[in-house]
Amino acid sequence: MKITSFSPLIMTNDSEKAGKVFEALGFTKKHEKKDASENHDSGFRMKDAEGHGISIAQVNQLPRDMVAVQMNVDDLDEAIALLSSFGFKNMRGEGNIIDNGSARTAVMVLC
């Protein structure tokens, strides 16, 4: 498995407020996902002049903000197996992979 990108992810119910903090730190929006539905949250990706990135996800049902790590990998199934071997579980339920056509996603949390 090859990791193709690795960056912080903020999950919040107020993504615009969080985005303003990072805009003040010199980050700009580079990609925005607006196709929110029951299974997909909206959000955006930001980068600074040095190429550092952060993703901010709008997750309305969260009782508090959460910080995580976002990894893009070339083999999602292998990544899930590796993380599972260390005690991580898919937050949306085992085997529940979101496929939006351009990416496959699993939210793995350490239990």
Side-chain angles (χ1 to χ4, degrees):
M1 172 190 66
K2 179 181 176 189
I3 297 172
T4 57
S5 69
F6 189 92
S7 65
L9 166 65
I10 296 174
M11 295 175 281
T12 179
N13 59 19
D14 193 350
S15 60
E16 290 305 314
K17 181 178 178 183
K20 289 186 185 315
V21 172
F22 286 91
E23 284 175 350
L25 294 169
F27 286 75
T28 57
K29 286 184 183 177
K30 295 297 182 185
H31 171 74
E32 191 160 6
K33 180 177 135 187
K34 295 183 180 181
D35 61 338
S37 69
E38 181 179 332
N39 293 324
H40 300 283
D41 298 312
S42 63
F44 47 90
R45 178 109 175 114
M46 302 180 84
K47 286 196 174 184
D48 70 1
E50 301 294 321
H52 301 106
I54 186 164
S55 295
I56 300 176
Q58 176 72 35
V59 185
N60 297 325
Q61 64 271 32
L62 281 180
R64 61 181 175 81
D65 292 355
M66 296 174 64
V67 178
V69 173
Q70 177 178 335
M71 277 191 317
N72 292 319
V73 296
D74 65 345
D75 187 333
L76 180 61
D77 297 324
E78 185 179 357
I80 290 170
L82 175 69
L83 291 171
S84 295
S85 74
F86 285 100
F88 285 78
K89 297 193 182 305
N90 187 335
M91 190 168 107
R92 298 181 190 267
E94 186 173 339
N96 189 346
I97 307 298
I98 296 170
D99 188 339
N100 68 10
S102 65
R104 294 175 61 226
T105 304
V107 179
M108 303 296 290
V109 294
L110 185 57
C111 297

